[in-house]
Amino acid sequence: MAAGTEEGTPNQQTMVLDMEEKNKFKVYNTMTNQKEVFTPKVPGKVGMYVCGVTAYDLSHLGHARAAVSFDILFRYLLHLGYEVTYVRNFTDLDDKVIRRANESGENPLALSSRFCKEYMKDMNDLQCLPPTHQPRVSDHMEQIKDMIIQIINNDYAYVVDGDVFFAVEKFPDYGKLSGQVVENHRAGERVAIDLRKRNPADFALWKAAKPGEPSWDSPWGPGRPGWHIECSAMSVHYLSSQFDIHGGATDLKFPHHENEIAQSCAASQESNVSYWVHNGHVTINKEKMSKSLGNFFTIRQITERYHPLALRYFLISQSYDSDLSFSVNQLEIASDKVFYIYQFVARYHKPVSSFDAMSQNSILTYSIVVQTLSDCEDALSSFQQGSLKDATKQNEESAQITAEAQFCIRKLHSEFNDKMSDNLDTSTILKGVLQEVLKLANDSLTKLKDAKQQLQLSLVQSLVEVEREVKEVLQILGLLPQCTYAEVLQQLKDKALKRAGLGEDQLLDVIKERAEARKNKDFTKGDQIRDELKAKGIGLMDIKGADTIWRPCVPPENKMENQ
């Protein structure tokens, strides 16, 4: 909240607000098929386990959707003041890894290690905070074997020729998460159907060693873990058998998460997860984007042409638990929105000693918009240099933020927390109140140049407070950049030029050619050049009394899909 707008100290306000937000935060629980108020098992602490990637190739947009969705949840829990232990695993050894390693002639663990590093690079580009722990299957063989021993001792598993299978029929609650019945178990989804099983739905906890495959010693002979047991063993190791949130993509509900529940409960009757949270698919032409269907784009393919923050914006533009339809047009729109945001928060810092009289805590910096609003820089610069310095000292009241700004800041704070508390509704935030606040800020900057001295002071203070609130929202959404705002704007422009197939010098020559045409009254040619550039995603703006400037824009949709 803006300073001076509510009673009580800022720390007291934050404490009260955090408690209110904690008490109303609701998350959709797949187990109960409803939104539930989030209540951790241990007050003030949260344990969260999220299924990560199988590391045998570059990750695609579906993986990015899952990672960003749970990064948003992680960030919001931290914002609420929880101490969060966030675990996201790597499957660095399974049939797919071994198959790809055999094709490339690599050691399976060396191949998976390489793609784990590539995944972490993608996550860093997408500004996903690193989890507390990122365990790999190959590092947790003892924990996996110990859990299998517990399951066998509790009579939920059996051994056949060095393989260990979970006996699904012995677990009456099987299917309670997904609603699937045992008869519908897709037995051959990851492994071939095995006639040695007592029931086709039984799944492998341990696989006997095969020639040329990595293996570890075990009580049942050399071998390696099945797919499902890894997550149960690692979640127990890092979070205990009872923790708060288990997450993953919606396609993991069955059989993976269903099997996790069965084997975890078979190992320990105390096993319990409070909330099962699943993110929706990324779809293309109404089909799930996946490697098996061959209709996917890797994260790297997208970020070569679009800024990672534009991709992140796109990924949170719909509710995390709904499917997200991919199109080039949606990426262009996301990129345009991100440019607009950073065009507002782009700033340079200057000491503002003239603000000393405003409050007990001196404001050391203020922010102004650059790019298309450069005319406002002069107004603020004049203010900074002292034309209003004396007025500030004479009238402290003049530095209070405007009533309009107060209302807007309160609305952003209130609606942001209301929507985030309602199962992380990022879509409504991005499309609604955030856009309203940015419009107010830009309107204030427009007024600033011609405003009288007292109003100028209020507008400047209002912009300082609005920017502070916007930055907090961007931080929680993971949209606050790691570099300077000016650098992000330039990066967005560089990506736009790359998509347009133009170098900046080429573009400036074209803009110069258009200026000459307009100077010679050849407006038809000028319009033609402008339209051709717009079709390539380059928008021109003619500034009165100044040179034409350019910025990325959304091309006409019928030109988009050819990309």
Side-chain angles (χ1 to χ4, degrees), residues 152-173:
I152 293 174
N153 290 343
N154 291 335
D155 199 29
Y156 283 93
Y158 56 94
V159 182
V160 180
D161 302 328
D163 291 315
V164 182
F165 295 105
F166 186 90
V168 169
E169 288 185 339
K170 293 200 172 188
F171 188 71
D173 286 338

Side-chain angles (χ1 to χ4, degrees), residues 470-524:
V470 168
K471 283 172 62 180
E472 183 178 356
V473 168
L474 295 178
Q475 176 67 41
I476 298 168
L477 295 179
L479 291 172
L480 200 64
Q482 298 170 354
C483 56
T484 67
Y485 305 125
E487 287 173 325
V488 174
L489 288 170
Q490 186 58 51
Q491 290 164 5
L492 286 160
K493 295 176 81 171
D494 291 343
K495 295 286 187 183
L497 288 171
K498 184 173 185 177
R499 296 194 297 274
L502 292 169
E504 189 157 17
D505 289 342
Q506 288 178 283
L507 175 58
L508 294 177
D509 287 342
V510 173
I511 292 174
K512 185 177 179 180
E513 179 184 353
R514 177 175 176 269
E516 286 295 323
R518 287 164 57 83
K519 183 179 179 180
N520 295 328
K521 309 297 183 183
D522 189 352
F523 297 111
T524 300

Side-chain angles (χ1 to χ4, degrees), residues 258-306:
E258 202 70 75
N259 291 352
E260 274 194 68
I261 293 170
Q263 63 201 9
S264 295
C265 291
S268 171
Q269 292 182 347
E270 296 179 352
S271 178
N272 177 263
V273 173
S274 299
Y275 306 89
W276 287 85
V277 181
H278 294 91
N279 67 277
H281 294 135
V282 177
T283 62
I284 185 166
N285 297 325
K286 298 183 179 180
E287 282 190 311
K288 172 195 169 187
M289 188 179 288
S290 69
K291 290 180 179 176
S292 60
L293 295 175
N295 64 345
F296 69 93
F297 293 100
T298 65
I299 300 170
R300 206 68 56 85
Q301 284 176 310
I302 299 301
T303 55
E304 283 177 358
R305 297 173 62 81
Y306 293 89

Side-chain angles (χ1 to χ4, degrees), residues 8-49:
T9 67
N11 286 341
Q12 290 172 334
Q13 294 170 31
T14 302
M15 188 180 301
V16 172
L17 289 169
D18 283 351
M19 288 303 298
E20 291 175 354
E21 291 160 16
K22 282 182 179 181
N23 292 335
K24 69 181 181 180
F25 176 41
K26 290 184 178 181
V27 64
Y28 188 86
N29 189 350
T30 308
M31 183 64 77
T32 59
N33 291 316
Q34 63 183 4
K35 294 178 187 177
E36 297 179 357
V37 174
F38 178 73
T39 305
K41 293 182 181 297
V42 179
K45 296 184 178 182
V46 177
M48 179 169 72
Y49 185 94

Side-chain angles (χ1 to χ4, degrees), residues 531-544:
D531 293 343
E532 287 175 352
L533 288 174
K534 184 177 181 180
K536 294 180 178 181
I538 304 296
L540 301 184
M541 286 170 282
D542 298 314
I543 308 299
K544 186 176 181 180

